[in-house]
mmCIF file of all heavy atoms in Angstrom:
data_model
loop_
_atom_site.group_PDB
_atom_site.id
_atom_site.type_symbol
_atom_site.label_atom_id
_atom_site.label_comp_id
_atom_site.label_asym_id
_atom_site.label_seq_id
_atom_site.Cartn_x
_atom_site.Cartn_y
_atom_site.Cartn_z
ATOM 1 N N LEU A 130 13.803 -29.877 1.130
ATOM 2 C CA LEU A 130 12.423 -29.503 0.710
ATOM 3 C C LEU A 130 11.533 -29.475 1.957
ATOM 4 O O LEU A 130 10.744 -28.499 2.131
ATOM 5 C CB LEU A 130 11.899 -30.485 -0.308
ATOM 6 C CG LEU A 130 10.483 -30.215 -0.803
ATOM 7 C CD1 LEU A 130 10.391 -28.844 -1.513
ATOM 8 C CD2 LEU A 130 10.027 -31.321 -1.727
ATOM 9 N N VAL A 131 11.625 -30.467 2.818
ATOM 10 C CA VAL A 131 10.800 -30.490 4.051
ATOM 11 C C VAL A 131 11.154 -29.303 4.938
ATOM 12 O O VAL A 131 10.279 -28.615 5.478
ATOM 13 C CB VAL A 131 10.976 -31.826 4.798
ATOM 14 C CG1 VAL A 131 10.299 -31.766 6.173
ATOM 15 C CG2 VAL A 131 10.388 -32.982 3.993
ATOM 16 N N LEU A 132 12.446 -29.007 5.063
ATOM 17 C CA LEU A 132 12.856 -27.811 5.890
ATOM 18 C C LEU A 132 12.272 -26.528 5.282
ATOM 19 O O LEU A 132 11.836 -25.638 6.038
ATOM 20 C CB LEU A 132 14.373 -27.743 5.972
ATOM 21 C CG LEU A 132 15.040 -28.683 6.945
ATOM 22 C CD1 LEU A 132 16.554 -28.683 6.731
ATOM 23 C CD2 LEU A 132 14.716 -28.221 8.383
ATOM 24 N N ALA A 133 12.302 -26.374 3.972
ATOM 25 C CA ALA A 133 11.762 -25.201 3.351
ATOM 26 C C ALA A 133 10.249 -25.085 3.592
ATOM 27 O O ALA A 133 9.753 -23.986 3.876
ATOM 28 C CB ALA A 133 12.037 -25.212 1.828
ATOM 29 N N VAL A 134 9.532 -26.174 3.482
ATOM 30 C CA VAL A 134 8.080 -26.131 3.727
ATOM 31 C C VAL A 134 7.795 -25.803 5.197
ATOM 32 O O VAL A 134 6.930 -24.935 5.487
ATOM 33 C CB VAL A 134 7.436 -27.507 3.364
ATOM 34 C CG1 VAL A 134 5.998 -27.614 3.878
ATOM 35 C CG2 VAL A 134 7.453 -27.718 1.864
ATOM 36 N N ILE A 135 8.589 -26.361 6.125
ATOM 37 C CA ILE A 135 8.415 -26.030 7.558
ATOM 38 C C ILE A 135 8.712 -24.552 7.782
ATOM 39 O O ILE A 135 7.924 -23.862 8.480
ATOM 40 C CB ILE A 135 9.317 -26.923 8.411
ATOM 41 C CG1 ILE A 135 8.774 -28.364 8.442
ATOM 42 C CG2 ILE A 135 9.391 -26.363 9.859
ATOM 43 C CD1 ILE A 135 9.713 -29.382 9.133
ATOM 44 N N ALA A 136 9.776 -24.048 7.224
ATOM 45 C CA ALA A 136 10.078 -22.640 7.420
ATOM 46 C C ALA A 136 9.005 -21.729 6.905
ATOM 47 O O ALA A 136 8.577 -20.799 7.565
ATOM 48 C CB ALA A 136 11.438 -22.304 6.726
ATOM 49 N N TYR A 137 8.485 -22.013 5.692
ATOM 50 C CA TYR A 137 7.417 -21.237 5.153
ATOM 51 C C TYR A 137 6.149 -21.336 6.031
ATOM 52 O O TYR A 137 5.508 -20.339 6.353
ATOM 53 C CB TYR A 137 7.104 -21.626 3.725
ATOM 54 C CG TYR A 137 5.911 -20.927 3.165
ATOM 55 C CD1 TYR A 137 5.931 -19.582 2.861
ATOM 56 C CD2 TYR A 137 4.685 -21.604 3.030
ATOM 57 C CE1 TYR A 137 4.824 -18.938 2.371
ATOM 58 C CE2 TYR A 137 3.576 -20.962 2.526
ATOM 59 C CZ TYR A 137 3.654 -19.601 2.231
ATOM 60 O OH TYR A 137 2.517 -18.956 1.782
ATOM 61 N N ALA A 138 5.771 -22.591 6.375
ATOM 62 C CA ALA A 138 4.544 -22.810 7.089
ATOM 63 C C ALA A 138 4.544 -22.229 8.501
ATOM 64 O O ALA A 138 3.487 -21.864 9.014
ATOM 65 C CB ALA A 138 4.199 -24.300 7.142
ATOM 66 N N THR A 139 5.702 -22.152 9.124
ATOM 67 C CA THR A 139 5.750 -21.690 10.489
ATOM 68 C C THR A 139 6.217 -20.256 10.679
ATOM 69 O O THR A 139 5.951 -19.645 11.697
ATOM 70 C CB THR A 139 6.631 -22.614 11.363
ATOM 71 O OG1 THR A 139 7.972 -22.587 10.821
ATOM 72 C CG2 THR A 139 6.061 -24.038 11.364
ATOM 73 N N LEU A 140 6.899 -19.733 9.664
ATOM 74 C CA LEU A 140 7.488 -18.360 9.863
ATOM 75 C C LEU A 140 6.741 -17.317 9.053
ATOM 76 O O LEU A 140 6.842 -16.133 9.348
ATOM 77 C CB LEU A 140 8.966 -18.335 9.496
ATOM 78 C CG LEU A 140 9.842 -19.251 10.392
ATOM 79 C CD1 LEU A 140 11.315 -19.189 9.900
ATOM 80 C CD2 LEU A 140 9.720 -18.872 11.857
ATOM 81 N N ASP A 141 5.955 -17.720 8.056
ATOM 82 C CA ASP A 141 5.152 -16.748 7.300
ATOM 83 C C ASP A 141 3.979 -16.316 8.222
ATOM 84 O O ASP A 141 3.521 -17.094 9.075
ATOM 85 C CB ASP A 141 4.603 -17.410 6.041
ATOM 86 C CG ASP A 141 3.810 -16.435 5.180
ATOM 87 O OD1 ASP A 141 4.516 -15.677 4.442
ATOM 88 O OD2 ASP A 141 2.595 -16.424 5.265
ATOM 89 N N SER A 142 3.577 -15.068 8.090
ATOM 90 C CA SER A 142 2.561 -14.567 9.006
ATOM 91 C C SER A 142 1.209 -15.303 8.892
ATOM 92 O O SER A 142 0.484 -15.460 9.844
ATOM 93 C CB SER A 142 2.373 -13.062 8.795
ATOM 94 O OG SER A 142 1.948 -12.817 7.491
ATOM 95 N N ASP A 143 0.880 -15.759 7.717
ATOM 96 C CA ASP A 143 -0.369 -16.463 7.516
ATOM 97 C C ASP A 143 -0.304 -17.336 6.247
ATOM 98 O O ASP A 143 -0.841 -16.993 5.189
ATOM 99 C CB ASP A 143 -1.561 -15.477 7.409
ATOM 100 C CG ASP A 143 -2.886 -16.122 7.495
ATOM 101 O OD1 ASP A 143 -2.977 -17.293 7.961
ATOM 102 O OD2 ASP A 143 -3.891 -15.451 7.180
ATOM 103 N N PRO A 144 0.428 -18.478 6.294
ATOM 104 C CA PRO A 144 0.786 -19.226 5.129
ATOM 105 C C PRO A 144 -0.392 -19.776 4.327
ATOM 106 O O PRO A 144 -0.375 -19.860 3.116
ATOM 107 C CB PRO A 144 1.677 -20.320 5.585
ATOM 108 C CG PRO A 144 1.331 -20.503 7.034
ATOM 109 C CD PRO A 144 0.937 -19.129 7.535
ATOM 110 N N VAL A 145 -1.482 -20.208 5.025
ATOM 111 C CA VAL A 145 -2.616 -20.756 4.308
ATOM 112 C C VAL A 145 -3.892 -19.967 4.534
ATOM 113 O O VAL A 145 -4.938 -20.264 4.006
ATOM 114 C CB VAL A 145 -2.899 -22.242 4.709
ATOM 115 C CG1 VAL A 145 -1.769 -23.090 4.272
ATOM 116 C CG2 VAL A 145 -3.123 -22.359 6.195
ATOM 117 N N GLY A 146 -3.810 -18.966 5.364
ATOM 118 C CA GLY A 146 -5.012 -18.198 5.722
ATOM 119 C C GLY A 146 -5.745 -18.915 6.845
ATOM 120 O O GLY A 146 -6.156 -20.048 6.669
ATOM 121 N N ALA A 147 -5.807 -18.286 7.970
ATOM 122 C CA ALA A 147 -6.408 -18.868 9.164
ATOM 123 C C ALA A 147 -7.862 -19.358 8.861
ATOM 124 O O ALA A 147 -8.294 -20.353 9.395
ATOM 125 C CB ALA A 147 -6.419 -17.928 10.311
ATOM 126 N N ASP A 148 -8.540 -18.667 8.000
ATOM 127 C CA ASP A 148 -9.915 -19.043 7.649
ATOM 128 C C ASP A 148 -9.993 -20.303 6.775
ATOM 129 O O ASP A 148 -11.027 -20.898 6.634
ATOM 130 C CB ASP A 148 -10.624 -17.859 6.941
ATOM 131 C CG ASP A 148 -10.775 -16.671 7.816
ATOM 132 O OD1 ASP A 148 -10.786 -16.816 9.067
ATOM 133 O OD2 ASP A 148 -10.876 -15.556 7.282
ATOM 134 N N ASN A 149 -8.876 -20.709 6.189
ATOM 135 C CA ASN A 149 -8.818 -21.863 5.317
ATOM 136 C C ASN A 149 -8.602 -23.161 6.063
ATOM 137 O O ASN A 149 -8.764 -24.216 5.491
ATOM 138 C CB ASN A 149 -7.751 -21.712 4.243
ATOM 139 C CG ASN A 149 -8.072 -20.613 3.278
ATOM 140 O OD1 ASN A 149 -9.242 -20.261 3.052
ATOM 141 N ND2 ASN A 149 -7.060 -19.985 2.717
ATOM 142 N N LEU A 150 -8.191 -23.115 7.332
ATOM 143 C CA LEU A 150 -8.018 -24.297 8.105
ATOM 144 C C LEU A 150 -9.343 -24.890 8.521
ATOM 145 O O LEU A 150 -10.275 -24.155 8.868
ATOM 146 C CB LEU A 150 -7.175 -24.046 9.377
ATOM 147 C CG LEU A 150 -5.686 -23.779 9.174
ATOM 148 C CD1 LEU A 150 -5.044 -23.418 10.513
ATOM 149 C CD2 LEU A 150 -4.999 -25.000 8.555
ATOM 150 N N PRO A 151 -9.510 -26.189 8.449
ATOM 151 C CA PRO A 151 -10.750 -26.829 8.914
ATOM 152 C C PRO A 151 -10.982 -26.501 10.392
ATOM 153 O O PRO A 151 -10.032 -26.431 11.130
ATOM 154 C CB PRO A 151 -10.553 -28.295 8.656
ATOM 155 C CG PRO A 151 -9.323 -28.469 7.896
ATOM 156 C CD PRO A 151 -8.557 -27.189 7.968
ATOM 157 N N PRO A 152 -12.201 -26.402 10.802
ATOM 158 C CA PRO A 152 -12.524 -26.083 12.213
ATOM 159 C C PRO A 152 -12.330 -27.315 13.106
ATOM 160 O O PRO A 152 -13.268 -27.738 13.779
ATOM 161 C CB PRO A 152 -13.930 -25.572 12.162
ATOM 162 C CG PRO A 152 -14.543 -26.291 11.022
ATOM 163 C CD PRO A 152 -13.418 -26.439 10.003
ATOM 164 N N ILE A 153 -11.171 -27.885 13.109
ATOM 165 C CA ILE A 153 -10.849 -29.052 13.937
ATOM 166 C C ILE A 153 -10.040 -28.525 15.123
ATOM 167 O O ILE A 153 -9.020 -27.835 14.928
ATOM 168 C CB ILE A 153 -10.023 -30.092 13.162
ATOM 169 C CG1 ILE A 153 -10.848 -30.580 11.956
ATOM 170 C CG2 ILE A 153 -9.646 -31.229 14.067
ATOM 171 C CD1 ILE A 153 -10.053 -31.423 11.000
ATOM 172 N N PRO A 154 -10.497 -28.834 16.355
ATOM 173 C CA PRO A 154 -9.723 -28.362 17.526
ATOM 174 C C PRO A 154 -8.255 -28.846 17.491
ATOM 175 O O PRO A 154 -8.036 -30.019 17.189
ATOM 176 C CB PRO A 154 -10.486 -28.996 18.702
ATOM 177 C CG PRO A 154 -11.831 -29.365 18.180
ATOM 178 C CD PRO A 154 -11.674 -29.627 16.714
ATOM 179 N N HIS A 155 -7.383 -27.959 17.723
ATOM 180 C CA HIS A 155 -5.941 -28.224 17.843
ATOM 181 C C HIS A 155 -5.342 -28.762 16.521
ATOM 182 O O HIS A 155 -4.352 -29.474 16.566
ATOM 183 C CB HIS A 155 -5.659 -29.180 19.014
ATOM 184 C CG HIS A 155 -6.268 -28.759 20.286
ATOM 185 N ND1 HIS A 155 -5.883 -27.593 20.931
ATOM 186 C CD2 HIS A 155 -7.259 -29.297 21.026
ATOM 187 C CE1 HIS A 155 -6.586 -27.456 22.015
ATOM 188 N NE2 HIS A 155 -7.445 -28.472 22.100
ATOM 189 N N ILE A 156 -5.916 -28.403 15.403
ATOM 190 C CA ILE A 156 -5.364 -28.901 14.154
ATOM 191 C C ILE A 156 -3.934 -28.390 13.933
ATOM 192 O O ILE A 156 -3.087 -29.078 13.335
ATOM 193 C CB ILE A 156 -6.258 -28.505 12.929
ATOM 194 C CG1 ILE A 156 -5.774 -29.266 11.699
ATOM 195 C CG2 ILE A 156 -6.254 -27.007 12.696
ATOM 196 C CD1 ILE A 156 -6.744 -29.367 10.590
ATOM 197 N N ASP A 157 -3.588 -27.217 14.510
ATOM 198 C CA ASP A 157 -2.238 -26.722 14.365
ATOM 199 C C ASP A 157 -1.230 -27.645 15.043
ATOM 200 O O ASP A 157 -0.111 -27.830 14.562
ATOM 201 C CB ASP A 157 -2.106 -25.264 14.930
ATOM 202 C CG ASP A 157 -2.420 -25.203 16.449
ATOM 203 O OD1 ASP A 157 -3.424 -25.839 16.859
ATOM 204 O OD2 ASP A 157 -1.685 -24.517 17.171
ATOM 205 N N LYS A 158 -1.626 -28.326 16.140
ATOM 206 C CA LYS A 158 -0.758 -29.262 16.805
ATOM 207 C C LYS A 158 -0.537 -30.513 15.934
ATOM 208 O O LYS A 158 0.559 -31.032 15.863
ATOM 209 C CB LYS A 158 -1.243 -29.673 18.212
ATOM 210 C CG LYS A 158 -1.534 -28.478 19.118
ATOM 211 C CD LYS A 158 -0.349 -27.547 19.294
ATOM 212 C CE LYS A 158 -0.642 -26.409 20.236
ATOM 213 N NZ LYS A 158 -0.611 -25.123 19.686
ATOM 214 N N LEU A 159 -1.626 -30.959 15.333
ATOM 215 C CA LEU A 159 -1.507 -32.104 14.433
ATOM 216 C C LEU A 159 -0.580 -31.775 13.243
ATOM 217 O O LEU A 159 0.283 -32.566 12.848
ATOM 218 C CB LEU A 159 -2.898 -32.471 13.905
ATOM 219 C CG LEU A 159 -2.936 -33.659 12.910
ATOM 220 C CD1 LEU A 159 -2.393 -34.908 13.495
ATOM 221 C CD2 LEU A 159 -4.356 -33.853 12.393
ATOM 222 N N ILE A 160 -0.729 -30.524 12.723
ATOM 223 C CA ILE A 160 0.117 -30.147 11.620
ATOM 224 C C ILE A 160 1.581 -30.116 12.043
ATOM 225 O O ILE A 160 2.496 -30.543 11.331
ATOM 226 C CB ILE A 160 -0.326 -28.790 11.073
ATOM 227 C CG1 ILE A 160 -1.686 -28.976 10.385
ATOM 228 C CG2 ILE A 160 0.691 -28.195 10.080
ATOM 229 C CD1 ILE A 160 -2.400 -27.669 10.004
ATOM 230 N N HIS A 161 1.836 -29.617 13.271
ATOM 231 C CA HIS A 161 3.220 -29.601 13.790
ATOM 232 C C HIS A 161 3.784 -31.014 13.932
ATOM 233 O O HIS A 161 4.919 -31.302 13.514
ATOM 234 C CB HIS A 161 3.295 -28.925 15.146
ATOM 235 C CG HIS A 161 3.594 -27.454 15.047
ATOM 236 N ND1 HIS A 161 4.914 -26.990 15.131
ATOM 237 C CD2 HIS A 161 2.834 -26.386 14.904
ATOM 238 C CE1 HIS A 161 4.892 -25.670 14.986
ATOM 239 N NE2 HIS A 161 3.627 -25.296 14.852
ATOM 240 N N ALA A 162 2.975 -31.949 14.410
ATOM 241 C CA ALA A 162 3.429 -33.317 14.554
ATOM 242 C C ALA A 162 3.754 -33.921 13.199
ATOM 243 O O ALA A 162 4.789 -34.597 13.047
ATOM 244 C CB ALA A 162 2.360 -34.142 15.281
ATOM 245 N N ILE A 163 2.943 -33.648 12.214
ATOM 246 C CA ILE A 163 3.164 -34.200 10.900
ATOM 247 C C ILE A 163 4.403 -33.551 10.258
ATOM 248 O O ILE A 163 5.253 -34.261 9.651
ATOM 249 C CB ILE A 163 1.909 -33.953 9.989
ATOM 250 C CG1 ILE A 163 0.756 -34.846 10.496
ATOM 251 C CG2 ILE A 163 2.236 -34.218 8.509
ATOM 252 C CD1 ILE A 163 -0.576 -34.515 9.890
ATOM 253 N N MET A 164 4.546 -32.279 10.407
ATOM 254 C CA MET A 164 5.720 -31.626 9.793
ATOM 255 C C MET A 164 7.044 -32.132 10.379
ATOM 256 O O MET A 164 7.970 -32.449 9.621
ATOM 257 C CB MET A 164 5.659 -30.097 10.021
ATOM 258 C CG MET A 164 4.656 -29.365 9.199
ATOM 259 S SD MET A 164 4.761 -27.597 9.196
ATOM 260 C CE MET A 164 4.668 -27.166 10.944
ATOM 261 N N PHE A 165 7.090 -32.256 11.687
ATOM 262 C CA PHE A 165 8.374 -32.648 12.326
ATOM 263 C C PHE A 165 8.597 -34.135 12.264
ATOM 264 O O PHE A 165 9.756 -34.611 12.208
ATOM 265 C CB PHE A 165 8.528 -32.035 13.697
ATOM 266 C CG PHE A 165 8.870 -30.561 13.568
ATOM 267 C CD1 PHE A 165 7.904 -29.618 13.463
ATOM 268 C CD2 PHE A 165 10.179 -30.178 13.471
ATOM 269 C CE1 PHE A 165 8.222 -28.293 13.300
ATOM 270 C CE2 PHE A 165 10.554 -28.837 13.275
ATOM 271 C CZ PHE A 165 9.545 -27.892 13.198
ATOM 272 N N GLY A 166 7.525 -34.913 12.230
ATOM 273 C CA GLY A 166 7.692 -36.353 11.923
ATOM 274 C C GLY A 166 8.151 -36.529 10.483
ATOM 275 O O GLY A 166 9.001 -37.378 10.201
ATOM 276 N N GLY A 167 7.697 -35.660 9.629
ATOM 277 C CA GLY A 167 8.152 -35.626 8.222
ATOM 278 C C GLY A 167 9.602 -35.295 8.099
ATOM 279 O O GLY A 167 10.347 -35.856 7.301
ATOM 280 N N LEU A 168 10.078 -34.324 8.910
ATOM 281 C CA LEU A 168 11.493 -33.925 8.857
ATOM 282 C C LEU A 168 12.361 -35.107 9.320
ATOM 283 O O LEU A 168 13.311 -35.444 8.646
ATOM 284 C CB LEU A 168 11.741 -32.702 9.787
ATOM 285 C CG LEU A 168 13.197 -32.323 9.952
ATOM 286 C CD1 LEU A 168 13.832 -31.950 8.609
ATOM 287 C CD2 LEU A 168 13.281 -31.134 10.906
ATOM 288 N N PHE A 169 11.988 -35.749 10.408
ATOM 289 C CA PHE A 169 12.754 -36.916 10.911
ATOM 290 C C PHE A 169 12.735 -37.970 9.773
ATOM 291 O O PHE A 169 13.789 -38.597 9.487
ATOM 292 C CB PHE A 169 12.142 -37.495 12.158
ATOM 293 C CG PHE A 169 12.731 -38.783 12.556
ATOM 294 C CD1 PHE A 169 13.860 -38.828 13.339
ATOM 295 C CD2 PHE A 169 12.176 -39.998 12.123
ATOM 296 C CE1 PHE A 169 14.448 -40.047 13.660
ATOM 297 C CE2 PHE A 169 12.734 -41.204 12.469
ATOM 298 C CZ PHE A 169 13.880 -41.240 13.232
#
């Protein structure tokens, strides 16, 4: 399930809509850390 979510979130062209992300600097890096910490 985690692998499927990662694949969708990272390979889809715009999985949540860029405008829907909070305006937090580098939030994409935080999301990456959470996803791959979640995989482990």
Side-chain angles (χ1 to χ4, degrees):
L130 180 62
V131 171
L132 281 169
V134 168
I135 289 172
Y137 173 72
T139 60
L140 298 177
D141 186 80
S142 61
D143 193 14
V145 294
D148 295 336
N149 294 332
L150 286 176
I153 300 170
H155 309 295
I156 191 161
D157 62 316
K158 304 307 181 243
L159 177 61
I160 292 169
H161 267 268
I163 291 168
M164 286 190 305
F165 284 88
L168 175 59
F169 171 88

